[in-house]
Amino acid sequence: MGSVPPNLNIALESHTLDSYRNAITAAGDKTTKMLWQVAFDAPINHKLLAEIIQYNMTTKQTMTPFWRP
């Protein structure tokens, strides 16, 4: 069995992950169906992370449920 390199996994809602999947992979990170994976030996792309957080804050501003419907 092969060794899987350790990752920091960032869980995003599927809508957000689908919106940013290309940007995440273009930055050199990986994605799964539900996760943004950053290799432990790679720097976290703080600019992209901040952009995703701002996107969620903006697009969910008028929503009352925690998760997107």
Side-chain angles (χ1 to χ4, degrees), residues 8-38:
L8 168 69
N9 292 311
I10 302 169
L12 302 170
E13 290 179 290
S14 59
H15 172 85
T16 304
L17 184 58
D18 290 342
S19 296
Y20 280 89
R21 190 176 307 275
N22 290 340
I24 291 168
T25 56
D29 295 330
K30 295 180 181 179
T31 62
T32 66
K33 182 177 179 183
M34 298 296 291
L35 299 171
W36 169 8
Q37 296 184 315
V38 181

Side-chain angles (χ1 to χ4, degrees):
M1 192 185 310
S3 175
V4 176
N7 295 302
L8 168 69
N9 292 311
I10 302 169
L12 302 170
E13 290 179 290
S14 59
H15 172 85
T16 304
L17 184 58
D18 290 342
S19 296
Y20 280 89
R21 190 176 307 275
N22 290 340
I24 291 168
T25 56
D29 295 330
K30 295 180 181 179
T31 62
T32 66
K33 182 177 179 183
M34 298 296 291
L35 299 171
W36 169 8
Q37 296 184 315
V38 181
F40 272 167
D41 61 354
I44 295 173
N45 186 329
H46 289 98
K47 181 178 177 184
L48 182 56
L49 180 59
E51 183 179 327
I52 290 171
I53 291 169
Q54 185 60 52
Y55 172 81
N56 273 327
M57 289 172 44
T58 301
T59 60
K60 293 178 80 172
Q61 191 169 18
T62 59
M63 292 183 187
T64 52
F66 182 77
W67 300 110
R68 290 180 196 275

